[in-house]
Amino acid sequence: MLPPVILVNEQDEPVGTMEKLEAHQKGLLHRAFSVFVVNKNGEMLLQQRAQDKYHSGGLWTNTCCSHPLPGEDDLAAAHRRLMEEMGFDCELREVFSFTYRAAFDNGLTEHEFDHVFFGTYDGAVLPDAAEVQATRYLSLDAIRQLLLTAPDTFTPWFHLAFPKIAAFIEEQG
């Protein structure tokens, strides 16, 4: 059985909990987070989701994403999952949030209030093979090009979050 997710309303106020798969089967709004990490050259660390993930297997996406556990702070959850999925941790800060809904061919629906975190890291990346098939650092311009030429190779939430996080990164210099 998968862990529970935090069901929320449109203002991100908790309204209950539900087992993760059931929430995705019913398409109910729940809290999530996405972590975007860049190196000192401003290149973004992307992960290719493991092929056997419950949805979006084999697609490229941001460094790490998941759901906080009931009673868990979003930032603490982001640090926990960054270590579990990618084998490292770094300083993170929340930069924005957004809500999205995406239906998948397997009948599951992501309907998430997504908190977006940003960090910088230049050390070793040791991904969990059960979660991550591959990793790579790419420049923001290379990612923009791939989103135009190979859009189906990226997750739906990456398409939505990338323009705003890229603008944030570029503003930071």
Side-chain angles (χ1 to χ4, degrees):
M1 183 150 157
L2 296 172
V5 295
I6 303 166
L7 302 177
V8 297
N9 62 22
E10 292 291 334
Q11 291 73 46
D12 194 34
E13 298 165 338
V15 296
T17 63
M18 184 176 284
E19 189 268 332
K20 180 166 71 169
L21 187 57
E22 183 181 1
H24 288 101
Q25 289 167 335
K26 294 180 176 180
L28 298 178
L29 184 61
H30 57 279
R31 188 174 293 157
F33 60 85
S34 295
V35 177
F36 289 79
V37 173
V38 298
N39 63 18
K40 64 183 173 195
N41 298 322
E43 298 166 318
M44 187 176 289
L45 176 58
L46 301 179
Q47 72 154 276
Q48 185 178 29
R49 289 170 60 89
Q51 201 63 47
D52 58 353
K53 294 286 283 182
Y54 64 105
H55 70 74
S56 305
L59 297 182
W60 288 94
T61 197
N62 48 288
T63 309
C64 165
C65 51
S66 191
H67 308 90
L69 298 170
E72 185 178 33
D73 175 77
D74 296 337
L75 179 60
H79 282 290
R80 174 180 55 80
R81 285 304 293 169
L82 187 57
M83 182 57 81
E84 290 171 357
E85 282 189 29
M86 302 300 280
F88 72 88
D89 196 12
C90 64
E91 186 175 324
L92 297 173
R93 63 178 164 156
E94 186 170 351
V95 292
F96 65 92
S97 60
F98 69 104
T99 302
Y100 77 96
R101 184 182 187 96
F104 300 100
D105 292 342
N106 64 1
L108 299 180
T109 299
E110 282 279 23
H111 189 194
E112 296 185 333
F113 193 108
D114 197 6
H115 295 263
V116 177
F117 292 90
F118 171 78
T120 303
Y121 179 75
D122 282 294
V125 178
L126 305 166
D128 177 354
E131 298 283 341
V132 181
Q133 186 169 308
T135 63
R136 63 182 174 179
Y137 280 99
L138 287 177
S139 71
L140 300 181
D141 285 340
I143 294 169
R144 285 185 185 100
Q145 187 62 35
L146 284 171
L147 286 170
L148 290 173
T149 60
D152 293 345
T153 64
F154 288 90
T155 61
W157 61 90
F158 187 84
H159 282 274
L160 297 171
F162 178 76
K164 194 165 184 175
I165 196 71
F168 169 81
I169 293 166
E170 290 168 338
E171 285 172 10
Q172 304 303 299

